[in-house]
Amino acid sequence: MSPRTGTEAYGGGRVSRREPEQEPRREPEERRNHNTLSGTVHGYAVQAGSVFGGIHVSTGTASSEGAPYVPWQLPPSGPLTDRTAELDALERHRDRAALAGHPTLVAITGLGGVGKTAAALAWLHTLRGHFPGGQLYADLGAQSPNGPAVPDEVMSRFLRALGVSPEQVPSAFPERTALYRTLTAGKRLVLLLDDAATAAQVRPLLLGGQNVTAVTGRWRMPGLTVDGCYAVHLAPLAPEAAVELLDVTLADGRVAAQPDEARALVELCAGLPLAVRIAGARLAARPGRGIATMVRALAEEHERLEELAIEGDHNVQAALDLSYQGLPPAAARLYRLLGLHPGPEFGGTAADAVLAGDAAELLDVLYDANLLIDVGGGAAGNAREDRYRFHTLVRLHAAAKAREDEPLAERDAAIRRIADHYLASATRAEEIVDPQHRTLDRNYGEGPVIMADFADTASALDWLERELANLMAVIHLARPAGFPSVAWQLADALWPLFLRRKFYENWRAAHEEGLLAAAELGNLVAECRMLTSGGVGALGMGNHERALEMFERAARAFRGAGDKLGSARTLNYCGLAHQRLGHLDRAAELFRRAAVALPTCGDPRAGGLARLNLADVALARGLHDEATAEADIAYLTLRDEGDTYNAARAATLLGRAYLGVGRLDHAEDRLTMAHTTLRAMVADYESARVLESLAVLAERRGQPELAKDRYREALDLYTAAGRSESAGARAVRAGVSRLEDRPEEPAAE
């Protein structure tokens, strides 16, 4: 090379040449062209032709003034609200890594607008005094229209920031990586990789030594775990913290003056910091406007995302659009169709129904993109029943994308598949829990119909309870969506849950909506089922007059249609209402008529129920012999009809009747049998009633400790069944008090 035209540098060193003061003397040709390196070279090496004058070699980290070059690239940090726990966790991880002699690597992920970058900056800026080597920053552009940043380009920028001149940055990526690691190994640096797309994009840029690297992203990056990464997932703010953020944003006293309105506003923002700040900024621009004005603006769901925007600046919808645009097409379709789901959360099989296919892998994609929240609650070891929900604003966004990007026919078909999934699954649960309940016809759409699976009675009942909010949402959706039959059929399928676990308000609402749907369809059988089943719920709520009206309305409808069996069944229901109203003579008359008519009409099981009710009335009157006889007939009839649940109820009455006449061994036999059966069926309320009687039996036998244990267990079950204030629960508490107040008997000599 010419002595005046340059040098070559290896390993990131820099060669600079001062011009000679005079023309150098010429050397012989063989010496001028003979410049050789031989053997092994360690560290920096410079190879050149003939070079004259003073030579200066540096590592490329000096400023123009000769001082070490230190980059301070982190953006400024703004105020941060309620992230103390997360920042403390990050600092604890840094301490552990430092003690172990490892670099610190953390990943902060979460929904767009949740404050990932703000949290990272708040933490990293506190470390400046501990890391004098500087701060590097790169926006990796996961959501950029031009695609994510390429690692070797980012690394090139970092090298220039560390003082390497552009012409000295190696062109080959492996050499560039080696130089990057060499320059950073001996420093104490902080690095923020913002808005990362994948672990593969991040990994080449990670710092070694005693340095700190923080990564933020909308996507979870489990792949970084193998690199020793500590993951922090940011959730939306709690209401109190969101109110504090609103107060900081407004800074004018309106939050303190209007606390209820402020809380309502942050609830509509669902705790998303970006949404709270936008709402606050819009209010701050209008000092005379009350917070309630913004609350009213956000109250309409279909307009909320549009309101949470500042023209030309921050925008919640735009933030969510970026996450949506980064999804693979199949995951994007699942996302928008799940936006049509009417309930608050859903399991894996519901997502299968939405998609009409296996959604498991796509759910993982949405979860990794932080567009779904894993709420747990599925059966142990059953990934298909992992449960998810949307953040409130994400749900609105998904539904909006469904309206924009899905044809109407596709949306309608998806909604029907959702409804059919819940109807078919609830019907299957009904068949398992209460096989004697007469299941009426079910109507489904074109399909496919995807149904949940249940191992036993307990899992079926638990599924009904866990999905109750979704089931109720479907019931209310069905008529407006154009399939009213689903409303009454789903209400009907919930009978075993309502009967055993006493969700009375849901019982009432489901049957009221079901009755409207049946009437709209002109389906007399369905109307009467809604009236009778709904009337039983009204009895449980103490609305005895309302229940009697419903039963009598069903009776009139059956008589008008000439339906003798239906009419006979209403005798039983009307008798129950009169019994609760204290009309025991009238109740007994109706039960006797039903006990005779129902077997004649072809329903011996319902006749057995009438006998059970007669036994209950006789017991209330103190007619123990009559109660014993009727309960015995009811037990045998119901057992032979395969109605295990009601046979156990009859055995309970029989045991109580035996208690009344002092036949304690017979009482224990029947009550123990009933308790075993009902506990296996997870019938908490009926089990509590049996335990109450077993406690009385223990008292009669002079076993106060056993009696107290049984009373307490009964009270726990009454509470579990939602009947902690029922007459039975009050009697149980009285029994416990009575035994606790009883003086101890003197010990026998």
Side-chain angles (χ1 to χ4, degrees):
M1 91 176 32
S2 165
R4 299 182 64 86
T5 58
T7 62
E8 290 186 50
Y10 294 85
R14 178 187 299 164
V15 178
S16 61
R17 175 168 47 81
R18 287 195 291 268
E19 291 293 332
E21 296 180 0
Q22 59 184 9
E23 184 71 15
R25 63 187 178 84
R26 301 183 63 84
E27 297 289 339
E29 183 70 23
E30 65 272 17
R31 293 183 63 184
R32 281 191 287 119
N33 295 327
H34 188 74
N35 191 340
T36 304
L37 289 174
S38 63
T40 302
V41 178
H42 299 280
Y44 291 87
V46 178
Q47 181 175 349
S50 297
V51 179
F52 304 99
I55 304 298
H56 173 70
V57 180
S58 74
T59 61
T61 56
S63 68
S64 58
E65 290 78 20
Y69 189 93
V70 180
W72 300 104
Q73 296 185 337
L74 289 186
S77 176
L80 190 70
T81 302
D82 192 42
R83 296 300 187 195
T84 303
E86 290 86 350
L87 297 182
D88 287 347
L90 291 170
E91 193 60 16
R92 286 195 300 272
H93 174 67
R94 186 177 74 86
D95 289 341
R96 289 193 298 269
L99 285 172
H102 298 151
T104 299
L105 173 59
V106 302
I108 303 174
T109 64
L111 179 63
V114 82
K116 303 176 291 296
T117 303
L121 288 171
W123 176 52
L124 295 177
H125 275 298
T126 66
L127 305 182
R128 179 163 179 163
H130 301 286
F131 292 86
Q135 303 163 340
L136 296 174
Y137 170 82
D139 182 349
L140 297 187
Q143 316 302 324
S144 170
N146 299 321
V150 180
D152 62 347
E153 294 178 356
V154 176
M155 190 179 293
S156 178
R157 295 200 299 271
F158 285 166
L159 288 173
R160 293 195 297 273
L162 291 167
V164 179
S165 64
E167 65 271 13
Q168 292 167 346
V169 173
S171 57
F173 188 54
E175 294 179 8
R176 192 176 297 182
T177 303
L179 177 56
Y180 175 67
R181 291 174 180 168
T182 299
L183 291 178
T184 59
K187 296 180 179 292
R188 288 186 61 79
L189 281 164
V190 162
L191 168 62
L192 174 56
L193 301 173
D194 202 18
D195 195 22
T198 64
Q201 181 194 28
V202 166
R203 191 168 288 114
L205 303 171
L206 299 180
L207 296 176
Q210 292 293 300
N211 297 315
V212 172
T213 302
V215 183
T216 72
R218 294 165 187 253
W219 291 71
R220 299 173 194 268
M221 287 172 277
L224 289 180
T225 304
V226 298
D227 300 285
C229 182
Y230 177 73
V232 173
H233 178 73
L234 290 189
L237 298 174
E240 295 77 12
V243 169
E244 180 184 344
L245 178 60
L246 181 64
D247 188 35
V248 169
T249 305
L250 285 175
D252 60 5
R254 269 183 283 182
V255 168
Q258 304 166 53
D260 294 339
E261 292 83 353
R263 189 174 182 89
L265 179 59
V266 301
E267 286 177 354
L268 288 169
C269 294
L272 191 68
L274 176 61
V276 175
R277 281 200 169 276
I278 290 172
R282 292 188 60 183
L283 283 169
R286 294 170 173 80
R289 180 171 292 181
I291 297 175
T293 304
M294 182 61 70
V295 172
R296 288 192 294 272
L298 298 184
E300 291 295 329
E301 284 195 347
H302 65 281
E303 296 179 356
R304 191 175 307 170
L305 292 177
E306 288 80 356
E307 292 291 336
L308 289 171
I310 299 173
E311 187 174 354
D313 201 346
H314 300 293
N315 187 319
V316 171
Q317 181 163 314
L320 296 177
D321 281 346
L322 289 175
S323 295
Y324 173 69
Q325 290 159 9
L327 296 173
R333 180 170 183 265
L334 177 61
Y335 171 75
R336 27 181 210 269
L337 292 181
L338 282 172
L340 304 173
H341 186 279
E345 62 180 53
F346 47 85
T349 51
D352 291 345
V354 168
L355 204 59
D358 189 350
E361 291 185 4
L362 299 178
L363 285 171
D364 288 342
V365 172
L366 296 181
Y367 174 73
D368 286 344
N370 285 300
L371 291 171
L372 285 182
I373 300 168
D374 187 343
V375 296
N382 185 359
R384 296 303 305 119
E385 283 309 315
D386 286 344
R387 298 183 67 74
Y388 303 91
R389 67 174 177 86
F390 281 122
H391 180 278
T392 302
L393 297 180
V394 177
R395 179 181 61 81
L396 296 179
H397 182 264
K401 289 303 173 185
R403 292 191 295 271
E404 293 173 14
D405 299 343
E406 287 290 333
L408 177 60
E410 288 293 326
R411 299 201 303 269
D412 288 346
I415 292 172
R416 184 59 199 257
R417 289 194 299 271
I418 293 169
D420 287 349
H421 160 69
Y422 286 112
L423 176 59
S425 301
T427 299
R428 178 58 184 147
E430 172 196 16
E431 291 168 350
I432 292 173
V433 177
D434 195 352
Q436 295 303 314
H437 188 235
R438 295 174 298 107
T439 301
L440 302 180
D441 291 339
R442 301 291 190 244
N443 304 114
Y444 300 105
E446 294 182 1
V449 178
I450 295 176
M451 183 170 61
D453 189 27
F454 311 110
D456 51 30
T457 297
S459 64
L461 263 178
D462 287 344
W463 183 90
L464 288 171
E465 181 171 346
R466 186 172 64 245
E467 298 289 356
L468 183 56
N470 291 327
L471 297 167
M472 293 300 299
V474 172
I475 288 172
H476 289 293
L477 167 75
R479 275 198 310 133
F483 35 86
S485 60
V486 170
W488 74 260
Q489 290 170 7
L490 193 47
D492 186 42
L494 287 171
W495 170 257
L497 176 70
F498 291 151
L499 190 65
R500 286 162 176 76
R501 298 195 175 170
K502 315 299 182 186
F503 293 99
Y504 284 119
E505 186 54 38
N506 294 118
W507 194 339
R508 178 199 61 76
H511 284 79
E512 283 185 359
E513 181 61 28
L515 182 59
L516 291 173
E520 182 178 300
L521 293 165
N523 187 329
L524 178 64
V525 173
E527 281 189 69
C528 290
R529 176 64 73 90
M530 293 295 98
L531 287 167
T532 54
S533 296
V536 174
L539 283 179
M541 296 179 76
N543 299 331
H544 305 147
E545 293 283 0
R546 171 61 179 158
L548 183 57
E549 291 174 6
M550 295 171 74
F551 297 146
E552 289 179 340
R553 178 178 166 185
R556 290 192 298 272
F558 280 128
R559 287 195 299 269
D563 186 337
K564 293 183 178 180
L565 177 57
S567 182
R569 285 172 176 152
T570 59
L571 294 172
N572 231 348
Y573 292 119
C574 290
L576 287 171
H578 281 290
Q579 181 184 3
R580 300 293 177 85
L581 287 165
H583 309 154
L584 298 187
D585 290 340
R586 176 61 173 159
E589 176 196 347
L590 291 167
F591 290 146
R592 288 192 188 95
R593 288 170 57 191
V596 173
L598 284 164
T600 304
C601 294
D603 193 349
R605 171 182 166 275
L609 290 173
R611 295 286 180 186
L612 186 153
N613 293 331
L614 271 172
D616 200 21
V617 170
L619 198 60
R621 289 170 152 179
L623 304 175
H624 295 97
D625 289 339
E626 181 180 339
T628 301
E630 295 292 355
D632 195 38
I633 296 172
Y635 170 75
L636 294 172
T637 301
L638 294 166
R639 183 198 64 184
D640 293 345
E641 289 295 314
D643 188 347
T644 307
Y645 172 74
N646 283 307
R649 290 180 63 222
T652 302
L653 277 174
L654 192 54
R656 291 172 60 199
Y658 284 138
L659 265 179
V661 294
R663 299 173 67 180
L664 302 188
D665 289 342
H666 286 76
E668 183 176 26
D669 177 63
R670 292 300 181 184
L671 291 171
T672 301
M673 177 180 64
H675 181 241
T676 300
T677 301
L678 292 167
R679 285 306 299 265
M681 300 180 78
V682 204
D684 290 342
Y685 177 72
E686 294 296 339
S687 295
R689 296 188 69 191
V690 179
L691 282 166
E692 181 185 348
S693 297
L694 284 169
V696 172
L697 175 64
E699 279 195 86
R700 296 272 185 90
R701 285 179 165 166
Q703 300 170 305
E705 293 305 316
L706 177 60
K708 280 194 285 188
D709 288 344
R710 286 175 168 169
Y711 277 133
R712 289 178 180 130
E713 188 179 354
L715 187 58
D716 288 342
L717 289 174
Y718 276 128
T719 302
R723 300 300 302 278
S724 59
E725 299 304 321
S726 65
R730 290 194 296 273
V732 164
R733 282 193 286 268
V736 172
S737 297
R738 181 174 60 251
L739 290 169
E740 288 179 342
D741 292 342
R742 177 182 296 177
E744 293 185 10
E745 296 181 4
E749 295 182 3

